[in-house]
Amino acid sequence: MNLNQQPHMASPYAPPQPGYQMYPQPGYGAPHPTQQYAPYNGHTSLYQQGAPPAGQGRAPPVSGAPPVSASDSYSQYAQGNVQNGPPSVPSQPQRPPVSQSYAPATVHPGTQPTYHQPYEAPTTSVQQITGHMAGMHIGGPAPNLPPSSMSMTPGPPPSMYGAPPTSQPSFPGAPTPPQSAFAGVTPAAPPVSQQSFPTGAPMSQPHYSSVPTSSSQPSMGGPVLQQPPFGAVPPASAQSQFPGMQGPPFANQSMSAPPASQPNHTGAGMPPGPPIGGVQGPPPQPGLQGFHPQQNGAFGQMRPPQSGYAAPYPGQQNFGIQPPPPAAAPPAQKRLDPDSIPSPIQVIEDDKANKGSEPFITGVRGQVPPLVTTTFQVKDQGNASPRFIRCTAYNMPCTSDMAKQSQVPLAAIIKPLATLPPDEGPLHLVDHGEGGPIRCNRCKAYMCPYMQFIEGGRRFQCSFCSCVTDVPPHYFQHLDHTGRRVDCYERPELHLGSYEFLATVDYCKNNKLPQPPAFIFLIDVSYNAVKSGLVAVVCEELKTLLDHLPRESVDEESRIRVGFVTYNKVLHFYNVKSSLAQPQMMVVSDVSEMFVPLLDGFLVSVGESRVVINSLLDQIPEIFADTRETETVFGPVVQAGLEALKAADCAGKLFIFHSSLPIAEAPGKLKNREDKKLVGTDKEKSLFQPQVSFYGNLAKECVAQGCCVDIFLFPNQFVDVTTLSVVACSTGGSVYKYSHFQAQTDRDRFLNDLRRDVQKPMGFDAVMRVRTSTGIRATDFFGSFYMSNTTDVELAGLDSDKTVTVEFRHDDKLSEDTGAFMQCAVLYTSCSGQRRLRVHNLSVSCCTQLADLYRNCETDAVISYFAKHAYRTVLSSPTKNVRDVLVNQCAQILACYRKNCASPSSAGQLILPECMKLLPVYLNCVLKSDVLQPSAELSLDDRAYLRQLVSCMDVAESHVFFYPRLLPLQKLDVEGDALPVAMRDSEERLSRAGLYLLENGLNLFLWVGSAIPQDLLHNVFGTASFSQIDPNMTSLPVLDNPFSKRIREIIESIRAQRSRYMKLMVVKQDDRLEILFKRFLVEDKNSSGGASYVDFLCHMHKEIRQLLS
Amino acid sequence: MAMFQEFIQQNEDRDGVRFSWNLWPSSRLEATRLVVPVSCLFTPLKECPDLPPVQYEPVLCGRPNCRAVLNPLCQVDFRAKIWACNFCFQRNPFPPTYAGISEVNQPAELMPQFSTIEYIIQRGPPTPLIFLYVVDICLEEEDLQALKESLQMSLSLLPPNALVGLITFGRMVQVHELSCEGISKSYVFRGTKDLSAKQIQEMLGLMKPAPAGQPGRPPAAQEMQPTCRFLQPVHKVDMNLTDLLGELQRDPWPVSQGKRPLRSTGIALSIAVGLLEGTFPNTGARVMLFTGGPPTQGPGMVVGDELKTPIRSWHDIQKDNARHLKKATKYYEALANRAAANGHCIDIYACALDQTGLLEMKCCSNLTGGHIVMGDSFNTSLFKQTFQRVFSKDYNNEFRMAFGATLEVKTSRELKVSGAIGPCVSLNSKGPCVSENEMGVGGTSQWKVCSLNPSTTLAMYFEVVNQGGKKKKSVTLCWADVQSQMQHIESSFDQEASAVLMARLAVFRAESEEGPDVLRWLDRQLIRLCQKFGQFNKDDPASFRLSESLSLYPQFMFHLRRSPFLQVFNNSPDESSYYRHHFMRQDLTQSLIMIQPILYSYSFYGPPEPVLLDSSSILPDRILLMDTFFQLVIYHGETIAQWRKAGYQEMPEYENFKQLLQAPLDDAQEILQTRFPMPRYVDTEHGGSQARFLLSKVNPSQTHNNLYAWGQESGAPILTDDVSLQVFMDHLKKLAVSSAA
């Protein structure tokens, strides 16, 4: 596992220890430390990465790497603290009190973990000494849990009890307090467990080895074991917390810490613990509470992946819990208690609690960033922000064998132009002069913090390919005694993860500096479009929207030029030159070979041609008001835009507002081919393939010109999204679809999307290249782009919402020492026509132990990758196969973990890695998604639409898309501005007296329970009875009461978070719309055959067992 | 002889007809020996002030394949109210409306002085004329501006109810819709893709929408006459169109160094023709093409856009080096035929310093009766005034233009029609009077003349088949509203008419044959004629004499041989085409001027006098005024020029000199006022570079070769190797009297 790292750890840790001890240890007493040690080993590794370096900058090995300049002092401090787990200490005290109350509530678990952490920290040092704790793996923890009854939640209390104790025990020091609490509830059991633990704990390492077997056997405790191995606690978060806050923070810390630890280890089995409890206040469940706590603990652990090590304990707890369930589950196949299985909500909330409050500092290699659901600040200290790049694994296997064995996908989800919050941006723009950016001679990697300067600064060695390159004279700088350039902190490219270069003419097409890009609006004016009100809406909106085109902050007005085209079966171009009194329309009816009829006056600056443009936009709806033309073309429309850009010799973007299947005689003519009978058959894949190759070829031309295509569809029937969207998907464009568009109801949604789409920052005519350390290679790419070779991702347009997912494969070995680097360089033309290079660098660790891999995974990213991969595979395989492959890969991942990283335990026990304990639930969501398992009423267009949407979603979007966010509103805190804690997506959890908001990034539902209280009804809807609620409303009435206000605020804030505007749908319980709504309750069974979470987990378990046997 | 002169004059004045022979041979054999065929020049719309139009329809012969028109030569039985057709001898009763006729009460068409009569046919509502402007926008700014102004001005000259349309072209072709308010709308076509008429109409939205219209909407939803969109009455759109023309910009597409602008003339014309074809077939319509350069792309291209490739010259054509020539010619011919079939005519106004492809495009005008005007720039008075003159009106305040004429020739059995040469196309109407021996456009007794004006003149050629008594001929013009009829008696040779008729034949041949072949043919004809009618002793050239009625003929031939109609040297293919175009349609007088320019001399020694077109007429103290039809040259002799330079004309005491200088200017002005197209006006002097216009025309009686052989007296030597008239005549005599021939 982390053995390698240990050495490092040792040194750094040593110093801190004292400090640490001081804090928490004393309070807790000796025993704890010992216990902690064991776990620490694992932890330590984590620590090293984060904290150690900083703290002991001097230490040769570590110091070099993490270039945390500013925060050095800080971090050091922090580190010390963190490691020690001081935070935990304080927290402990607090907690206990709380915990007691909690304990019942389930909270306990959470607290317990905290304790551990602190302990652990100190221990670490010791451990190292001890050495191998390693060994640990294992075993340690496992033992405890025996009690585990987890699965049984429902089952006999006793067993449950048993379980809880186990967990408690794990918490050595802390335990006591909690236990006491427990004691109250379930006196007998807890104590016991504790006792057992203490013993176990101290000796942990030794114990484990010895104990493991025994312990595990009894407890089944598989779970427990897991934790120890993982070790490392997330240092970063802990550190920061420490310094800043002592009092109150502690509480948090404690919370956070523990969770962190959990994550590492745990994969929780199917513990029956109450998920939420841990995090929040004590859920009032008396009887169970006792039990739950433990479970919670288990879950809680899961939350904080960072603290990893601390986790050992928690992990154990988990284990304890887990074991039981598995045992129970397999044989009996009884129904699991949904509360006992890993809860996404729990994990999300834990992560928020643990990592949300402090900045994520990117200086350390291989840190797993906070979850996408957590709000956090990023400090760029040498690695790209997770807002730009998220990886599926932050500790990559060194060899392809390992990678193959684990089956964990190695991928990075890159959002090159992501918008940063104001306090993090914007990126620095670096100008290296006429010679252009400094690059490695061989692999052409750009200058970055990983480049190693040698020979007194005269040359540098590339960290990607090891080639040595001379430093150009104008770039020369002396090195300081540590070998760093003296100007290191003055140059963004030497100390930041993300920055931009000003590109020279060599980086431009035809060696000519680019023109400012252009936006061309192409509006369908056929009968349907006019009748639905679309034409009027678009024209009206454009009048104001044109004032908000993207611009550089230095420019007074946007330099983007605009052009207008309307079309039905023929195209109408408009000359809007400023010198004209009236716009001129030019009709091109020869659509078989499209061309642009005018040059001068088609693309104009908004400022100059304002009057003419307004006049045009006023007249368009009138001109076509009486049109009777129903046929449309599409191919020529794109061609027209493309030709216009060609003629103007610039890149740009087309906004096409289109209403119907293009059946008019023209290139790209389509026919209606929707055939529901094919769904579910082997021929289904043909539905996802374009019906003509025309658009693919056209897209190629578009890309060559830098012509990005955004398509807004307003179909009343089949339009063949699959085929039409090819152009958008290959050019970095977006597709928006508004079925049965009606101006009154869909106006807001469309206009908000349009506004955002027009205004969002974007680059044009972009090329993206991902370079990696020798050893791995970017092999596969997902997203909206075109590739003419195997390395260059060509994007005619790249906006701030687009992601490109890159999959890596080994082509050699990676080194654990140096880790793996990746550099993503995007060459693009800015909205002002400046050619720039944006560079994102990321370093991840490498491991030779599978456990390290499993401890540093990002499940959300993995799922995002799986979904994209699967959605692409449906083009070539039947959906059923795709689903099977997914299930299989997932099973292999988990089985590999079980086999290699978990302590031996009964095969009947389901053991999940802490980092991936949500893999099954999320995967199930992917499997049930509309693309892979459509419901009967879903149209082919809808599926195609979703399919292409997902391909360029970032992790946050894909996460909420697959696991929608369900917010209970009935007990809203109208004063604060925090959102209510989300709930699991299951119907069982909806209360008839409740009011819930559900969103998945595309849809927004407000579910109203039939027994909703009068006052709530009145406050929100302004009506007196449930039956008076208008199910067709798309916005809530504006009522002057805090509740109504707050709900509307929440809705607005949720909309603001997503890249697409969500139309509000009000769903009344038992109303017919509810069927639709229920499809989003993804933990439940659905009508089209999707399994419930519990069922799927059992199925997964079965698969794993099969693999293991 | 004087009698014949009068007779000829009378025929021409009354009927617009000049025959080569006013007495016809009685047998076929004799006819062929005449050398000059029996033929005539016919000016259908010759302005006749004393010809009151008749407001009813002509009476036709009842025989289905005859349908001849009642004319003064018919035998009429006033009592029986029957007339006998003098072509087929069918006896026809008069229609009831003629019940009142008697010897003293004859309808106009029976009066001998009305051998030509004009019927005004009142059938259906009059269709408005159509003017479709096809405008090149690849012009220099200055040219375009001038053209725009001319076009705007022309709107006020059009009849208010005329329909007007606008097509502009450059790299693209734009068909402007004139009906819409507010936003101006145009249909755009790429200039490289040839489209069928059907496609064009479809793309312009001129096709009636398929019956499967919108359900729910009554189809009666007033089908807007689709044609209205592009062709609108002038009075409705003149403001609109004036603005539109005012806003016309030069073609915005960049023309890089070393390239010609891309000009889609071919497609523009094709669209114009297609548009009219689809909307107003068989209606009088003028497509007016204004172009400032050669078509450089698409079908009909004449030259590529690389400036380094020059446009074809005669040299290239002779070497078969003109890549695009055949294809383009074929393309334009097809267009011209389509336009002609629909009765539309195409004018070409080509103004550029270089060639514009008239050679290829000429058929568009030649076949449809359209004008060709060639100038250096649209910003010259030559173009401006000529263009204005297109819309000139006659004394009745009617436009001097007519459309859609069908010319039918009926002959009595002794004659057959061989063909016609002029701005017409064959209607392929076979009949008993059609000769198998084709001359010009033959094989038919009906031709279509899409557009004609008062001076449009066609040459008709006949074949004498048999001997017979009276030969009569009646020419009927339908549709356009003119019907003329004429009759004549034996007459003798008309050398002027014959010269022109022979010249037309020669030029017609020159279009398809090599230049030298044509000249040889012409020479042979001349020699044969001289042999036939000259008086001489065998092998004694000195004894050769020609009668008075033939005396000028060889001289005409001499100048014809030197004329730009048969000589291409020093002329571009476009110029040749232009000259020939006009030669083939002008009336006799103008044609003669073209063959042998007129030279007037002004001096202090007497009133202005016509002088020989000879280098001996070029004297230092004379001012010469030469009219070649295409050019009007004022040449100041050496002395005069010096005086003028010295400014004597400014001095009061030399008022007479001033008057002398003014006299030719005034005369020239008079010619300029009336001629269409306006000639190029050249004011030059001895030694001036432009004097070449004069020097190239005069008979080089004095050259550097024989200068000293002649008296010191006179003239200016011409530096040329061309033979002079004297030499020519000597040879002619020699050959004519040669017994070997």
Side-chain angles (χ1 to χ4, degrees), chain B residues 659-670:
Chain B
Q659 285 167 1
L660 179 66
L661 287 179
Q662 190 59 42
L665 294 183
D666 292 343
D667 289 351
Q669 207 53 46
E670 209 167 299

Side-chain angles (χ1 to χ4, degrees), chain B residues 326-492:
Chain B
K326 283 201 184 116
K327 232 173 116 186
T329 307
K330 202 174 153 202
Y331 175 78
Y332 290 111
E333 268 173 10
L335 276 185
N337 282 318
R338 275 168 58 194
N342 288 290
H344 303 138
C345 84
I346 301 175
D347 290 350
I348 300 175
Y349 303 87
C351 289
L353 290 171
D354 196 0
Q355 300 188 73
T356 54
L358 284 183
L359 173 63
E360 288 82 357
M361 295 191 283
K362 62 173 186 242
C363 48
C364 292
S365 295
N366 286 348
L367 300 185
T368 63
H371 303 303
I372 293 183
V373 174
M374 193 168 114
D376 290 344
S377 157
F378 288 109
N379 199 17
T380 55
S381 61
L382 187 151
F383 165 74
K384 290 180 187 171
Q385 301 211 12
T386 304
F387 181 54
Q388 219 164 335
R389 228 162 273 170
V390 170
F391 303 102
S392 64
K393 296 184 178 176
D394 64 12
Y395 51 90
N396 282 334
N397 206 22
E398 283 176 4
F399 282 93
R400 287 192 163 109
M401 57 175 92
F403 293 95
T406 305
L407 176 69
E408 180 169 10
V409 176
K410 296 207 177 293
T411 62
S412 49
R413 278 178 260 170
E414 299 78 17
L415 272 182
K416 287 197 173 182
V417 189
S418 292
I421 296 180
C424 59
V425 288
S426 159
L427 280 177
N428 268 327
S429 154
K430 310 285 186 199
C433 59
V434 175
S435 163
E436 286 178 2
N437 180 14
E438 283 189 31
M439 301 175 89
V441 182
T444 177
S445 64
Q446 285 188 2
W447 294 265
K448 186 160 201 172
V449 187
C450 298
S451 166
L452 60 176
N453 62 20
S455 70
T456 304
T457 301
L458 293 101
M460 319 292 314
Y461 298 86
F462 303 95
E463 187 185 16
V464 178
V465 179
N466 226 328
Q467 78 179 66
K470 296 203 284 178
K471 291 97 191 185
K472 312 160 198 165
K473 186 166 78 75
S474 156
V475 180
T476 305
L477 287 177
C478 295
W479 184 264
D481 42 7
V482 183
Q483 129 106 24
S484 90
Q485 189 176 76
M486 81 129 232
Q487 177 232 14
H488 78 113
I489 352 172
E490 298 92 345
S491 62
S492 68

